[in-house]
Amino acid sequence: MTIRTRFAPSPTGYMHLGNLRSALYTYLFARHHGGAFILRIEDTDQARFVEGAVDVIYRTLRGIGMEWDEGPDVGGAFGPYVQSERKDMYLPYARQLVEAGKAYYCFCAKEDLEARRAEAEARGEVWKYDKHCKCLSHEEVAAKLAAGEPYVIRQDVPLSGEASFDDVIYGHIAVDCADLDDMILIKADGMPTYNFANVVDDHTMGITHVMRGNEYLASTPKYNLLYDAFEWERPVYIHMTQIMRDAQHKLSKRDGDAYYEDFIDKGYLSEAIVNYVALLGWNPGDEREFFTLAELCEAFGVEGMSKSPAIFDAQKLTWMNAEYIRRLAPETFTVHALPYYRSAGIGHMDTAVLAAILQQRTEIFSQIPGMVAFLAKAEEYPLSYFTNKKSKTNPDIALDVLKRVLPELEALQDWSIAGIHDLLIGLAQVWGMKNGTLLWPVRIALSGREVTPGGAVEIAYLLGRDEALARLRAGIAKLEVGE
Ligand code: GLU
């Protein structure tokens, strides 16, 4: 049997990390087994339609490298792959169920339903549809249909007995039919509900393995009643745990960190996000932590999938991102960093030198503007920064050093990293002082910061001769005034 899996997102405009993980596991499962990965857009809820939302799905999956074998834009033998384009397919299936006595037309008006619900609740009962229209005769139904009365079609769930199925992760799931509602299959506007469409689509698209979030676990017994009513073979079900913010709460958009694109905007690398998300609820069974997508395809298996909810750990993701950033080629680092250089006002500076001083200390790209703001603009700083025990310096020593260094730098012809480095290190030697005693005050005067990416040499070089000399002069003036 060829395995066929599907990712079936509703186009909401965002890719939640939970959705991303569902897509990823589904994709990995298909690829691991040499099966097909199908993309289906579930847009039956037109009220929730969001412009451009399908593009977000395409962009995210493609950006990560998860190509689909069949889908709305690439076609396939089981199309169309957008539910709203399949809308005429569902009614005949629903009618088939009506004929088989497994579903029925319901003409109850909204107000009547609400009144009966209120009565039931007043009696302290949990409301479920009372099968009112199930009792209509064939003739009554035909007359109402002929008169054009609005209707829905409902599943006829047995009043007693059990509906159940076996899930690969969660095992045997059974519910009492008495607790199930006669759910709507076809809505008054003729569109199927998600509950009906997912069954018809999964069957007609030949889906062998349904992988999705465990919020569908409780509804799946009902879906299987439909499979049985149609006498269709049930797919294998693999329900996935939720991603949680902590033991009690699902990761939600309120946390500001639930969407894939938000992480990209914050300067996370897609490879790091994918690697991290893959390990949220799946364990490779060995100590490995770093995986490319191809390695994940190779290693993935349902045996490693967890039953307990995965807790999202932002720090761990950030750590992993930093590791990925460290491993980039410097040129690739620059490609990602350039927009941040530009926004920080240092887009004109030497990117090779910037990469050399920033790459090892960048955890997420959005930290860059804060780290380099001093390069674009001189910052205020206290004189106390000139005091450093290890470098054996204080404001008096710093003033002396800077006054001696300034003319040497003014005379320097070769304003390059090597030129500046050799001059400063040479001077420290000639003057018989520790390198630090010379470099510390220079770096403080150039940057106005105690902690900087790069040292005095790189900063002087990046600032350029004029700006560097101006800052040294300003440092001398500041030390002379003593504030
Ligand atoms: N459209 C559903 C969602 O986005 C998918 C459910 C399923 O995979 O069956 O939650």
Side-chain angles (χ1 to χ4, degrees):
M1 174 187 65
T2 306
I3 284 179
R4 290 174 59 82
T5 68
R6 87 301 194 275
F7 175 51
S10 304
T12 58
Y14 301 98
M15 184 71 91
H16 187 278
L17 285 190
N19 286 125
L20 176 67
R21 196 189 52 170
S22 298
L24 181 63
Y25 286 3
T26 307
Y27 169 84
L28 296 177
F29 184 76
R31 289 290 171 265
H32 184 84
H33 294 283
F37 174 63
I38 291 133
L39 177 63
R40 178 170 82 223
I41 302 296
E42 301 207 322
D43 61 346
T44 49
D45 191 352
Q46 295 285 328
R48 286 174 58 206
F49 183 78
V50 183
E51 195 66 41
V54 175
D55 291 327
V56 172
I57 296 165
Y58 290 168
R59 195 165 65 224
T60 306
L61 298 184
R62 287 222 166 91
I64 289 168
M66 289 196 270
E67 293 290 335
W68 44 101
D69 304 301
E70 299 167 31
D73 54 341
V74 299
F78 299 83
Y81 293 89
V82 179
Q83 266 177 352
S84 57
E85 291 170 24
R86 299 167 73 80
K87 73 182 194 332
D88 297 335
M89 287 182 49
Y90 304 104
L91 190 56
Y93 281 112
R95 288 202 181 118
Q96 190 183 324
L97 287 183
V98 172
E99 263 143 48
K102 306 286 186 182
Y104 56 89
Y105 289 94
C106 169
F107 301 90
C108 289
K110 209 168 157 217
E111 310 77 66
D112 296 337
L113 284 174
E114 268 157 25
R116 294 198 321 261
R117 169 195 289 267
E119 278 167 32
E121 284 173 354
R123 290 194 300 271
E125 291 168 14
V126 179
W127 163 257
K128 58 176 202 156
Y129 182 70
D130 50 10
K131 293 188 185 278
H132 177 273
C133 288
K134 198 197 157 183
C135 315
L136 295 175
S137 67
H138 276 306
E139 294 69 32
E140 283 170 310
V141 170
K144 283 176 183 290
L145 290 178
E149 266 192 51
Y151 67 86
V152 300
I153 297 181
R154 289 181 185 272
Q155 180 179 15
D156 185 13
V157 176
L159 284 166
S160 60
E162 207 181 69
S164 68
F165 77 104
D166 291 300
D167 185 80
V168 171
I169 307 292
Y170 290 90
H172 189 68
I173 303 287
V175 295
D176 238 331
C177 289
D179 295 334
L180 296 177
D181 201 5
D182 279 0
M183 66 177 178
I184 295 178
L185 307 178
I186 300 287
K187 297 184 275 191
D189 62 4
M191 289 288 260
T193 54
Y194 161 76
N195 289 324
F196 189 49
N198 91 91
V199 170
V200 172
D201 288 344
D202 284 339
H203 174 74
T204 55
M205 291 183 176
I207 301 301
T208 59
H209 291 69
V210 169
M211 297 177 74
R212 63 181 165 212
N214 69 4
E215 63 271 31
Y216 294 98
L217 203 53
S219 317
T220 303
K222 283 196 291 204
Y223 303 155
N224 282 313
L225 289 178
L226 293 173
Y227 277 95
D228 297 350
F230 281 119
E231 296 181 10
W232 289 343
E233 194 185 332
R234 299 175 176 195
V236 176
Y237 290 98
I238 304 170
H239 283 90
M240 299 178 250
T241 59
Q242 301 289 321
I243 300 183
M244 308 289 284
R245 168 160 59 90
D246 54 40
Q248 278 84 38
H249 305 93
K250 282 210 284 185
L251 189 66
S252 77
K253 61 180 175 208
R254 277 193 307 280
D255 303 326
D257 54 10
Y259 297 136
Y260 170 78
E261 294 211 329
D262 288 349
F263 283 98
I264 297 294
D265 291 346
K266 279 190 236 167
Y268 286 84
L269 289 168
S270 121
E271 293 83 349
I273 302 172
V274 168
N275 193 153
Y276 176 71
V277 165
L279 294 172
L280 265 182
W282 170 73
N283 185 326
D286 55 34
E287 296 302 305
R288 278 179 301 166
E289 260 186 315
F290 291 92
F291 291 88
T292 61
L293 191 61
E295 287 164 349
L296 286 171
C297 292
E298 178 72 35
F300 190 80
V302 284
E303 343 47 83
M305 282 172 69
S306 164
K307 224 191 235 186
S308 38
I311 310 260
F312 179 78
D313 179 349
Q315 276 180 349
K316 178 90 198 270
L317 170 60
T318 301
W319 168 82
M320 185 161 262
N321 198 60
E323 288 294 321
Y324 268 84
I325 290 180
R326 274 185 210 124
R327 294 165 191 210
L328 293 176
E331 302 73 41
T332 314
F333 175 83
T334 297
V335 171
H336 289 280
L338 209 51
Y340 297 95
Y341 294 163
R342 294 206 178 104
S343 73
I346 61 161
H348 58 289
M349 291 186 180
D350 186 325
T351 54
V353 174
L354 286 171
I357 64 172
L358 290 169
Q359 187 167 357
Q360 295 306 311
R361 58 174 65 212
T362 303
E363 293 176 303
I364 49 178
F365 286 98
S366 56
Q367 292 168 338
I368 288 179
M371 288 197 282
V372 300
F374 73 92
L375 289 174
K377 194 167 170 289
E379 294 172 348
E380 289 296 323
Y381 60 99
L383 279 184
S384 61
Y385 283 5
F386 283 111
T387 301
N388 183 269
K389 251 207 177 120
K390 209 171 134 233
S391 297
K392 293 193 193 315
T393 176
N394 60 34
D396 290 337
I397 298 171
L399 178 59
D400 175 54
V401 165
L402 291 180
K403 279 165 108 174
R404 289 160 74 186
V405 164
L406 180 63
E408 302 283 348
L409 279 170
E410 282 171 338
L412 179 67
Q413 295 297 317
D414 173 19
W415 199 269
S416 66
I417 294 278
I420 301 166
H421 173 269
D422 294 352
L423 173 72
L424 295 181
I425 299 302
L427 288 174
Q429 228 163 41
V430 175
W431 295 341
M433 54 177 69
K434 277 180 75 147
N435 287 349
T437 311
L438 187 148
L439 295 174
W440 183 277
V442 172
R443 190 175 59 84
I444 297 296
L446 290 174
S447 69
R449 291 193 185 181
E450 276 188 302
V451 179
T452 52
V457 174
E458 291 88 354
I459 295 169
Y461 166 74
L462 287 167
L463 289 174
R465 172 194 295 273
D466 293 348
E467 179 66 15
L469 295 177
R471 290 191 189 188
L472 291 176
R473 289 184 199 113
I476 292 171
K478 186 178 173 80
L479 283 159
E480 279 175 336
V481 177
E483 62 186 39

